[in-house]
Amino acid sequence: AFRLAETHDYFSKLALKLEKKRDTLCAALSSAGMNPIIPQGGYFLMADTSSIVIDESITNSDDPRDVRVNEFLTKTVGVTGIPTSGFYSPHNTHLSDNMLRYAYCKTDDEIAAA
């Protein structure tokens, strides 16, 4: 399978395809007031949400900030990220307060809709 993939330049084409998706998502997140951290590869990127002001009345105030921001964006904009606090020990969840993770291994239409 790898030999066939190499003869059809699959990996280079996949990298270019994902790079385009990543750049499109980064531009959308930037225009929404977030500061994306642009990865060199992979399927996910992180975005700094510290500039996002959320309406606390529509979120659960007991949740970490990243979960509240994600809930707010899901309810008001229809875009859902992945809160990162779940990747931290309880003592360190504050380190993820302003970070959300976004997948760009989506269809072009799904990214455009975001």
Side-chain angles (χ1 to χ4, degrees):
F2 284 114
R3 189 170 301 148
L4 184 60
E6 288 176 350
T7 60
H8 291 287
D9 205 22
Y10 171 79
F11 297 111
S12 296
K13 290 177 183 175
L14 178 61
L16 291 173
K17 186 176 177 180
L18 288 170
E19 184 177 345
K20 179 183 173 201
K21 292 173 184 292
R22 179 204 66 199
D23 292 347
T24 301
L25 183 56
C26 283
L29 294 173
S30 292
S31 70
M34 293 184 226
N35 185 21
I37 299 169
I38 302 171
Q40 293 179 347
Y43 302 101
F44 299 92
L45 62 88
M46 301 288 285
D48 180 347
T49 64
S50 59
S51 65
I52 304 291
V53 178
I54 60 173
D55 179 352
E56 297 284 351
S57 69
I58 64 171
T59 65
N60 182 353
S61 62
D62 294 333
D63 287 333
R65 184 179 188 280
D66 65 325
V67 173
R68 294 191 324 267
V69 170
N70 193 57
E71 182 180 2
F72 173 76
L73 293 173
T74 300
K75 289 179 177 179
T76 60
V77 183
V79 175
T80 301
I82 303 163
T84 58
S85 56
F87 297 107
Y88 291 81
S89 66
H91 178 73
N92 291 314
T93 56
H94 68 281
L95 298 171
S96 66
D97 280 351
N98 296 313
M99 301 303 291
L100 284 176
R101 186 176 188 215
Y102 288 93
Y104 55 90
C105 51
K106 306 281 185 180
T107 67
D108 291 340
D109 290 340
E110 289 171 320
I111 292 174

